[in-house]
Amino acid sequence: MSNRRRPQESTAPVPVRTENLSEKAKYVERKFIQGDLRVYNSKKISFCRTHSAIIGGIVAGIFGLGGFAGIGLYLLMFILTSGLISLQMEFKWEKYCEAASNLFLSGVGSEFMTYMIFWIMFHNIVHIL
């Protein structure tokens, strides 16, 4: 058995060199980078929507909104959040998302469930207990 150690591999990121790549390879590389950034952006949009739904549910619960008034507040919060995200993107959706429909319609159901949980919980805490 040999007691020689293996040289450790470097964990530092290696810069990508594109000067010797063909145009097709450069295009494919740009597509992958843009795809990764769009996934990152969609995660951030989902993060903003989740927190908006939590805050909206808390507000609806504390103010004791019920029925259609609570659902109306959710729709208002959803539209307001979409508008503020669009404003932050300077209304250039194609640059940041796959399509504008992803920005405006993604997460409607799941965020509504988050809103409902916090709405019911805070309504019970403030008005029933």
Side-chain angles (χ1 to χ4, degrees), residues 67-77 115:
F68 290 116
I71 294 171
L73 180 66
Y74 170 72
L75 292 174
L76 180 70
M77 291 292 289
Y115 175 83

Side-chain angles (χ1 to χ4, degrees), residues 50-119:
T50 301
H51 284 83
S52 173
I54 290 170
I55 292 169
I58 291 171
V59 168
I62 289 174
F63 287 130
L65 299 179
F68 290 116
I71 294 171
L73 180 66
Y74 170 72
L75 292 174
L76 180 70
M77 291 292 289
F78 195 83
I79 291 169
L80 182 68
T81 303
S82 296
L84 290 174
I85 291 171
S86 297
L87 186 65
Q88 181 70 28
M89 291 180 181
E90 298 174 347
F91 302 101
K92 297 176 184 174
W93 302 295
E94 300 84 26
K95 186 176 177 182
Y96 298 98
C97 299
E98 291 292 325
S101 63
N102 290 351
L103 173 65
F104 293 109
L105 299 177
S106 67
V108 173
S110 63
E111 305 309 330
F112 185 68
M113 291 299 132
T114 303
Y115 175 83
M116 291 287 293
I117 288 171
F118 281 91
W119 180 17

Side-chain angles (χ1 to χ4, degrees), residues 9-29:
E9 294 181 18
S10 174
T11 58
V14 179
V16 177
R17 312 236 174 194
T18 59
E19 58 267 0
N20 295 330
L21 295 177
S22 68
E23 288 301 315
K24 183 177 181 180
K26 288 180 186 178
Y27 173 76
V28 168
E29 185 173 324

